[in-house]
């Protein structure tokens, strides 16, 4: 099937670590700091220098840019600063200063109401230079309202030559909106293999040895809930966790994908060549899923006050408040294993693919990237900085793993050991999500090789190529409908799925509200756009 062929060659690139990392564009200049810098509270500040540049710089655009003087770039990432944020940033700025006459100031966007606050940065006219961006955080909306700078590939070729050389034409197409490029995409697509993670000591206590189906997963949760008084089997609650629960117990087994980010009501079967969108609450299997969640809720698998739970299932697990959480395998292997082992060696995490064989879509370039603010005065420096982050091993290691000898110990070119407890004091800059170079990634050396092999095999076997990877709904004319429907999801769908309300009554009310809010109008619009996108995609593939 054309749209479901396995991307074996692409996956092998992602999974294998190259011996020779890509070189970065690094040019050092000596500066005579005779001028005073302006306040870093203003965007992209510049300091002049008195270096004699009359020789050898005329035809070199990078040298010309560096000769303009020192620049301080202001960038945004998500989340609060980690304990060692300032320590790592100081080291990063030391390197940037030496290599491209630049330093950066990183500001955080709190996770609470993140999308609204993200869009407000642009709407308010705030001055900054770059930010993490992605389709899940409103990339298309910001791009179509002139929030991001349109990127010229000739400029990328000049100021980020290694990134340009390593990034495929398809990746640039995937960050193109209405003919303009609005992001610097990951070189390689990320592929998420979502696993259920359990504390090993609890599995041993209840003799739970295998979890390879939704029924196994449910039985494990019920067993632990029935025997534990001091912790919850699974501490869920907010919309993101509901999505993981829905995926594990319903949509993965059916190979379903949401077609609009934030609107989990409209889905399509990834293996259906007709790409017919449907409302999940019309699916009998979804009703069976609700019956299952009611059983779990009544058994006390999660708290009766789960709706008020502001923390993630992952954070609750790490705080020893629950036995299980759902997460992407790579992040789990590299970060949370180290944290749990620092708490108690017997906690040794175990990982289970609850729906073996479910199809995985490599993320499109528009899922995770760095974008340049349309108001930035220094796009050239942003590109030079990104070139180092994405293709230089020393920079890549620093922004992802921290300082060698303090936070981690390198094991060859592609493995590392976490140095506890300091490793947990950093955890990587979240702006690093906008970089992904398979040639530079490291794997936690303490993770059993069989776990890594199983993970890699699943990615290689079950990843598919599909236009759904890069389709993004243009919501320009449907913002009111989406806002109303999103509110209905939060008010009705989440309590229903948590089994904390009368499900039949709640479902009927939800359907009525959705009809008034325009769910059918939205479905028709997204189906029309998807059909057109698939037709264009098939012409070029």
């Amino acid at each position: 099937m054309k749209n479901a062929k396995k991307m074996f060659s692409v996956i092998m690139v992602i999974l294998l670590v190259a011996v020779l990392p890509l070189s970065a564009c690094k040019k050092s200049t000596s500066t005579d700091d005779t001028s005073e810098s302006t306040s870093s509270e203003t965007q992209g500040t510049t300091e002049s220098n008195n270096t004699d540049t009359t020789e050898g710089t005329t035809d070199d655009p990078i040298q010309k840019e560096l000769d303009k003087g020192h620049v301080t770039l202001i960038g945004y990432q998500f989340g609060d600063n980690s304990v060692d944020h300032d320590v790592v940033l100081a080291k990063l700025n030391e390197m940037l200063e030496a290599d491209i006459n630049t330093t950066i100031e990183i500001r955080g966007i709190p996770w609470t109401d993140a999308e609204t606050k993200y869009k407000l940065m642009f709407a308010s006219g705030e001055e900054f230079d770059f930010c993490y961006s992605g389709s899940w955080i409103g990339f298309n909306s910001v791009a179509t309202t002139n929030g991001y700078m349109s990127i010229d590939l000739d400029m990328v070729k000049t100021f980020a030559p290694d990134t340009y050389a390593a990034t495929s034409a398809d990746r640039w197409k995937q960050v193109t909106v209405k003919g303009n490029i609005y992001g610097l995409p990951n070189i390689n697509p990320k592929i998420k293999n979502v696993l259920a993670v359990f504390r090993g000591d609890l599995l041993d206590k209840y003799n739970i040895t295998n979890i390879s189906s939704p029924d196994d997963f449910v039985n494990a949760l019920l067993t632990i809930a029935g025997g534990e008084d001091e912790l919850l089997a699974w501490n869920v609650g907010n919309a993101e966790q509901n999505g993981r629960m829905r995926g594990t117990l319903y949509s993965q087994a059916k190979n379903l994908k949401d077609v609009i980010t934030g609107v989990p009501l409209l889905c399509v079967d990834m293996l259906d060549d007709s790409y017919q969108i449907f409302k999940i609450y019309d699916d009998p299997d979804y009703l069976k899923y609700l019956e299952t969640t009611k059983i779990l809720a009544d058994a006390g698998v999660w708290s009766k006050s789960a709706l008020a739970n502001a923390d993630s299932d992952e954070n609750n697990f790490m705080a020893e408040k629950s036995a299980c959480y759902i997460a992407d395998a790579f992040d789990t292997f590299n970060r949370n294993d180290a944290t749990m082992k620092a708490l108690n060696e017997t906690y040794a995490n175990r990982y289970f693919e609850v729906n073996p064989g479910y199809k995985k879509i490599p993320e499109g370039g528009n899922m995770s990237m760095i974008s340049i603010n349309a108001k930035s005065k220094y796009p050239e420096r942003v590109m030079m900085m990104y070139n180092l982050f994405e293709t230089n091993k020393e920079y890549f290691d620093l922004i992802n793993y921290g300082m060698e000898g303090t936070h981690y110990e390198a094991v060859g070119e592609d493995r590392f050991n976490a140095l506890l407890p300091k490793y947990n004091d950093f955890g990587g800059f979240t702006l690093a999500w906008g970089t992904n170079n398979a040639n530079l990634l490291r794997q936690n050396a303490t993770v059993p090789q069989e776990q890594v092999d199983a993970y890699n095999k699943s990615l290689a076997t079950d990843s598919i190529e599909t236009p759904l990877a890069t389709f993004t709904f243009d919501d320009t004319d449907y913002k009111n409908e989406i806002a109303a429907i999103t509110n209905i999801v939060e008010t009705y769908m989440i309590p229903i799925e948590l089994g904390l309300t009368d499900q039949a009554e709640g479902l009927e009310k939800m359907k009525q509200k959705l009809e008034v809010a325009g769910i059918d109008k939205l479905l028709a619009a997204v189906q029309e756009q998807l059909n057109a996108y698939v037709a264009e995609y098939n012409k070029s593939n």
Side-chain angles (χ1 to χ4, degrees):
M1 182 160 43
K2 181 176 181 181
N3 294 321
K5 60 186 179 184
K6 296 186 178 76
M7 299 179 62
F8 183 77
S9 60
V10 175
I11 303 307
M12 290 306 294
V13 171
I14 297 170
L15 301 179
L16 296 177
V17 178
V19 174
L20 297 175
L22 296 168
S23 64
C25 166
K26 298 177 64 174
K27 282 186 174 281
S28 297
T29 58
S30 60
T31 59
D32 180 9
D33 294 325
T34 60
S35 62
E36 294 180 2
S37 65
T38 57
S39 169
S40 65
E41 292 303 310
T42 61
Q43 176 246 8
T45 58
T46 307
E47 299 172 14
S48 63
N49 69 56
N50 296 326
T51 303
D52 182 0
T53 60
T54 59
E55 213 175 306
T57 62
T58 304
D59 298 324
D60 185 346
I62 290 179
Q63 189 62 52
K64 282 184 178 180
E65 174 60 32
L66 294 175
D67 289 342
K68 292 177 182 178
H70 175 272
V71 168
T72 297
L73 299 174
I74 296 174
Y76 271 96
Q77 66 177 5
F78 285 93
D80 296 326
N81 291 347
S82 62
V83 174
D84 277 1
H85 170 93
D86 291 344
V87 175
V88 179
L89 181 60
K91 177 62 178 176
L92 178 61
N93 277 331
E94 179 187 316
M95 293 163 60
L96 288 169
E97 178 79 52
D99 290 334
I100 60 170
N101 204 13
T102 301
T103 54
I104 64 174
E105 175 187 333
I106 301 176
R107 298 175 181 173
I109 304 169
W111 284 115
T112 307
D113 202 19
E115 185 170 355
T116 299
K117 293 176 181 177
Y118 183 76
K119 291 179 179 178
L120 184 61
M121 288 169 14
F122 299 93
S124 67
E126 180 181 349
E127 292 189 337
F128 62 95
D129 296 286
F130 68 94
C131 60
Y132 172 86
S133 61
S135 59
W136 63 274
I137 198 67
F139 170 71
N140 271 47
S141 177
V142 175
T144 54
T145 52
N146 302 314
Y148 304 130
M149 182 177 290
S150 177
I151 292 173
D152 182 346
L153 282 184
D154 285 337
M155 191 173 173
V156 177
K157 190 175 183 178
T158 299
F159 293 100
D162 303 306
T163 293
Y164 179 85
T167 305
S168 70
D170 281 344
R171 300 300 281 173
W172 295 113
K173 288 179 183 177
Q174 292 163 9
V175 295
T176 300
V177 179
K178 295 185 177 179
N180 294 311
I181 295 171
Y182 289 109
L184 299 165
N186 295 164
I187 289 174
N188 301 118
K190 297 177 182 177
I191 305 176
K192 290 188 175 180
N193 187 14
V194 179
L195 304 178
V197 185
F198 280 83
R199 261 177 47 184
D201 61 317
L202 293 173
L203 296 183
D204 291 340
K205 179 178 179 179
Y206 296 106
N207 196 29
I208 299 170
T209 58
N210 181 55
I211 300 174
S212 57
S213 72
D215 284 345
D216 289 343
F217 181 61
V218 168
N219 288 333
L221 293 173
L222 292 172
T223 298
I224 294 171
E228 295 295 318
D229 296 324
E230 300 300 320
L231 55 76
L232 294 167
W234 191 11
N235 201 341
V236 295
N238 62 34
E240 180 182 3
Q241 292 154 54
N242 260 58
R244 293 173 182 172
M245 178 170 68
R246 189 183 313 112
T248 303
L249 295 176
Y250 168 65
S251 58
Q252 283 180 8
K254 295 172 69 71
N255 292 308
L256 302 182
K257 187 181 188 307
D258 299 347
V259 288
I260 302 177
T261 302
V263 182
L265 298 158
L266 301 177
C267 288
V268 64
D269 182 343
M270 291 187 282
L271 301 182
D272 176 12
D273 277 343
S274 69
Y275 298 103
Q276 290 301 304
I277 301 166
F278 66 94
K279 294 174 280 193
I280 63 171
Y281 50 79
D282 289 337
D283 180 7
D285 288 333
Y286 180 74
L287 302 182
K288 292 178 182 177
Y289 156 67
L290 294 183
E291 292 174 2
T292 299
T293 63
K294 180 63 174 172
I295 292 171
L296 294 172
D298 289 346
V301 167
W302 49 77
S303 170
K304 294 188 182 299
S305 60
L307 289 171
N309 184 13
D311 229 340
S312 69
D313 62 340
E314 180 177 342
N315 286 343
N316 282 304
F317 178 85
M318 306 301 285
E320 303 176 272
K321 296 178 181 178
S322 60
C324 165
Y325 77 103
I326 305 294
D328 169 54
F330 192 84
D331 291 338
T332 296
F333 288 167
N334 278 1
R335 307 210 179 279
N336 297 340
D337 261 22
T339 302
M340 293 306 287
K341 286 177 181 177
L343 290 171
N344 190 321
E345 281 288 338
T346 67
Y347 287 173
N349 296 347
R350 294 182 197 163
Y351 320 94
F352 301 93
E353 189 168 25
V354 177
N355 294 281
Y358 83 90
K359 300 308 175 186
K360 304 159 186 69
I361 300 178
E363 288 183 353
N366 62 349
M367 180 58 71
S368 195
M369 68 198 114
I370 296 293
S371 290
I372 302 173
N373 185 8
K375 293 181 177 294
S376 175
K377 297 181 180 69
Y378 306 105
E380 298 89 351
R381 294 293 176 98
V382 174
M383 291 183 186
M384 293 166 72
M385 173 200 74
Y386 185 78
N387 192 66
L388 291 168
F389 288 178
E390 183 80 330
T391 66
N392 181 279
K393 182 70 170 173
E394 187 177 1
Y395 280 90
F396 192 89
D397 280 345
L398 182 65
I399 66 174
N400 282 281
Y401 312 113
M403 298 169 65
E404 186 173 6
T406 300
H407 301 103
Y408 78 98
E409 174 187 56
V411 180
E413 289 294 310
D414 61 348
R415 306 274 279 178
F416 76 95
N417 284 319
L419 298 179
L420 301 172
K422 291 301 291 178
Y423 180 76
N424 298 321
D425 287 341
F426 178 54
F429 290 124
T430 59
L431 66 82
W433 299 344
T435 66
N436 190 54
N437 186 337
N439 293 331
L440 304 183
L441 288 171
R442 292 185 184 275
Q443 183 73 63
N444 193 330
T446 64
V447 176
Q449 190 60 43
E450 59 268 22
Q451 292 281 354
V452 177
D453 291 344
Y455 169 64
N456 289 344
K457 180 181 179 181
S458 175
L459 294 183
T461 303
D462 301 321
S463 295
I464 60 171
E465 180 181 313
T466 168
L468 294 171
T470 50
F471 171 73
T472 302
F473 178 60
D474 181 356
D475 65 358
T476 304
D477 297 326
Y478 302 93
K479 294 186 185 295
N480 291 337
E481 286 82 3
I482 290 177
I485 290 168
T486 300
N487 184 60
I488 292 167
V489 167
E490 294 174 353
T491 304
Y492 291 93
M493 188 176 186
I494 293 176
I496 290 168
E497 291 191 338
L498 285 172
L500 299 175
T501 186
D502 185 311
Q503 290 179 316
E505 181 182 340
L507 194 59
E508 191 56 39
K509 285 184 180 179
M510 185 178 79
K511 289 180 181 180
Q512 293 171 6
K513 297 281 186 182
L514 288 169
E515 186 175 346
V516 173
I519 188 70
D520 292 320
K521 175 184 176 182
L522 189 63
L523 189 156
V526 69
Q527 185 71 71
E528 181 180 7
Q529 288 188 26
L530 179 59
N531 289 346
Y533 185 84
V534 170
E536 187 63 29
Y537 177 93
N538 287 338
K539 284 181 184 178
S540 59
N541 286 275

